[in-house]
Amino acid sequence: MNEDDLQFDREHIWHPYTSLIEPLPCYPVVSAEGVRLTLSDGTQLIDGMSSWWSTIHGYNHPRLNQAAKDQIDKMSHVMFGGITHPAAIDLCRRLVAMTAPSLDRVFLADSGSVAVEVAIKMALQYWVAKDAPQKNRLMTVEHGYHGDTFAAMSVCDPVNGMHDLFSGVLTQQLFAPAPQSTYHGDWQSSDLDALKEIFEKNHQQVAAMIIEPIVQGAGGMRIYHPNYLKGVRALCDQYDVLLICDEIATGFGRTGKLFGYEHANIVPDIICLGKAITGGYMTLAATITSQAIGEQICKTKAGVFMHGPTFMANPLACAVASESLAILQQGDWQKQVCHIEQQLIKELAPLKDSKVVADVRVLGAIGVIELVNAVHMISIQQAFVDEGVWVRPFGKLVYIMPAYTMCPTDLSTLTRAIFRVVTQLI
Ligand SMILES: *Cc1c(COP(=O)(O)O)cnc(C)c1O
């Protein structure tokens, strides 16, 4: 990649959340291996982001590569309407085995946002089938993030989400304050008061409550008390509201449990999975519900669930996902995540004393430093690259979620780089 290529990129290609008028600089990555990204000038960066939670086993993994190669020689794609194939069946067998016993009806979607759309559509169609079409609103909490499509946007945080921009178009949903009790702190039952009130007043109009279990991701990187999620489950039961857990970021071991809902010992009615499902190889997601809910959904006049993407259950993606889950099922993820957690707690703790740091939070293989002020993106990004690491902050948040396979030495390099860059912000 030369300067011409980068110039073309700046002039013609949109990147996530960027301006075409003032594009931010992009770093040219030409290959990746394990936990390292290689830039076109040969520089190697230790990756703290796992390409947004997804590459949990590291890049260029021999088993995932082989699964892709084996599948590509059989068929890359075939329509899923009226046809099935071994890759989808293998994957769904594993998904059903890994999730709670009642979660056994799988819908394969193309991306996290679509998995959320599908979950919402399931909830709405469920109540139509139950002759309660007035139950058509959603409840959620502030500081959530559920994706960039329209129904997903409607349940993203009303302040840092895109509500202002699309206010006339987005469905008005019901928001409770975000949980305040932290994961490791004391539980304050008053945390649930506002939510109870909203349930009481509105339950007859509410189809489902959607929430990220235990860790709120892109809406604020907040880590909350399991009792809050327990309370949510109890209120959903009491008021006959479906519970959707958006596990797209938290799923597949990231928080130290295979799924976030396990921290609270609850079982959701519907879960959304994505991000790490293929080990970061390609886009795929899943929405899983129970037999009872699945069957109820199909009792409408339509008689079917009304969704079916063109690339549903893409065999290449399914084959790699199945292998990624096989690695998880056989592997050491629990020990790896536990070691990363211990090391993050130890090595990020000293940052709490810095004047520029408001809070340090760790759960599983997630480390978050909340700063007092928002960062200057261009300069902090370059500072991290100069330190030999890839960390991409947003707003006041500097956070990492490394591959589970990152060794202690690389993780220390990463945390030391964060320490130096953050403490130089003064
Ligand atoms: C990333 C994310 C999504 C959206 O997934 P995409 O694949 O980007 O569409 C939804 N919910 C949560 C919790 C996420 O972290």
Side-chain angles (χ1 to χ4, degrees):
M1 265 187 279
N2 55 30
E3 192 41 48
D4 266 5
D5 294 332
L6 292 176
Q7 180 72 19
F8 181 88
D9 183 288
R10 274 193 296 276
E11 286 174 1
H12 297 279
I13 310 181
W14 247 305
H15 287 262
Y17 298 96
T18 52
S19 163
L20 288 189
I21 302 164
E22 287 182 69
L24 296 179
C26 276
Y27 295 84
V29 171
V30 291
S31 65
E33 170 84 32
V35 300
R36 282 176 171 70
L37 308 175
T38 303
L39 303 185
S40 57
D41 65 1
T43 307
Q44 292 205 330
L45 304 178
I46 294 177
D47 179 20
M49 307 304 291
S50 293
S51 284
W52 281 333
W53 314 81
S54 65
T55 52
I56 53 176
H57 313 297
Y59 297 94
N60 216 7
H61 193 285
R63 282 180 61 180
L64 300 184
N65 286 5
Q66 196 57 50
K69 285 172 187 162
D70 290 347
Q71 183 60 45
I72 211 167
D73 286 335
K74 291 178 198 146
M75 71 185 158
S76 296
H77 187 60
V78 63
M79 64 187 283
F80 210 48
I83 287 174
T84 192
H85 53 79
I89 295 168
D90 288 349
L91 169 62
C92 292
R93 270 220 173 90
R94 290 189 202 281
L95 289 172
V96 167
M98 290 171 103
T99 51
S102 62
L103 296 170
D104 64 353
R105 296 296 189 267
V106 186
F107 188 101
L108 295 167
D110 345 38
S111 73
S113 300
V114 174
V116 169
E117 298 286 327
V118 165
I120 291 172
K121 199 189 270 190
M122 282 181 179
L124 297 178
Q125 197 175 322
Y126 174 87
W127 291 110
V128 169
K130 280 211 146 184
D131 252 346
Q134 75 285 358
K135 275 170 90 74
N136 62 6
R137 295 185 78 188
L138 297 167
M139 263 174 71
T140 187
V141 291
E142 290 168 358
H143 289 291
Y145 176 77
H146 299 284
D148 292 350
T149 51
F150 276 84
M153 269 197 291
S154 77
V155 285
C156 288
D157 185 81
V159 176
N160 68 23
M162 288 159 276
H163 288 250
D164 285 350
L165 201 52
F166 301 113
S167 57
V169 184
L170 289 182
T171 313
Q172 297 291 304
Q173 313 290 16
L174 298 156
F175 288 88
Q180 296 302 310
S181 303
T182 60
Y183 187 90
H184 295 103
D186 291 336
W187 164 242
Q188 260 133 27
S189 56
S190 57
D191 244 10
L192 285 163
D193 289 352
L195 188 66
K196 276 183 196 152
E197 218 170 283
I198 300 176
F199 263 105
E200 235 166 83
K201 274 202 199 122
N202 302 281
H203 66 95
Q204 279 157 344
Q205 283 86 51
V206 178
M209 162 107 191
I210 181 166
I211 189 166
E212 294 154 279
I214 307 301
V215 179
Q216 295 185 286
M221 299 299 297
R222 304 172 84 258
I223 306 174
Y224 63 85
H225 202 287
N227 282 357
Y228 189 87
L229 193 54
K230 276 196 184 122
V232 167
R233 177 70 272 184
L235 288 166
C236 285
D237 288 339
Q238 184 184 342
Y239 289 106
D240 214 6
V241 165
L242 296 175
L243 173 58
I244 303 170
C245 277
D246 179 347
E247 294 265 6
I248 291 166
T250 50
F252 303 113
R254 178 56 68 182
T255 66
K257 304 267 187 196
L258 208 40
F259 298 101
Y261 64 75
E262 294 174 19
H263 287 275
N265 271 318
I266 59 135
V267 179
D269 299 302
I270 302 174
I271 61 169
C272 302
L273 300 172
K275 290 203 160 96
I277 192 169
T278 64
Y281 267 52
M282 55 263 280
T283 179
L284 184 72
T287 307
I288 311 182
T289 189
S290 65
Q291 176 187 3
I293 292 170
E295 286 177 4
Q296 183 62 45
I297 287 169
C298 302
K299 288 180 185 164
T300 52
K301 248 191 285 159
V304 298
F305 179 54
M306 297 297 276
H307 212 92
T310 305
F311 284 95
M312 188 169 185
N314 171 254
L316 262 184
C318 286
V320 176
S322 190
E323 190 66 8
S324 174
L325 301 194
I327 296 172
L328 278 182
Q329 282 175 313
Q330 301 154 5
D332 304 324
W333 70 268
Q334 210 151 12
K335 246 190 257 146
Q336 292 167 332
V337 170
C338 189
H339 286 152
I340 291 173
E341 179 176 55
Q342 294 310 314
Q343 201 178 336
L344 286 177
I345 289 171
K346 188 161 144 250
E347 294 179 3
L348 295 180
L351 276 168
K352 284 188 183 157
D353 301 329
S354 167
K355 265 187 284 189
V356 296
V357 173
D359 192 23
V360 176
R361 314 188 266 272
V362 173
L363 185 70
I366 308 168
V368 184
I369 295 110
E370 182 169 335
L371 302 172
V372 174
N373 299 308
V375 300
H376 180 259
M377 206 46 201
I378 297 180
S379 57
I380 199 168
Q381 190 73 85
Q382 186 61 48
F384 279 123
V385 170
D386 291 343
E387 292 279 347
V389 302
W390 182 249
V391 177
R392 188 159 175 84
F394 69 86
K396 295 178 181 176
L397 299 166
V398 175
Y399 64 105
I400 51 171
M401 52 292 205
Y404 305 166
T405 49
M406 186 173 283
C407 71
T409 315
D410 286 344
L411 189 57
S412 283
T413 306
L414 197 53
T415 57
R416 268 201 306 272
I418 291 174
F419 190 90
R420 274 198 292 268
V421 170
V422 164
T423 51
Q424 276 163 18
L425 289 171
I426 304 170

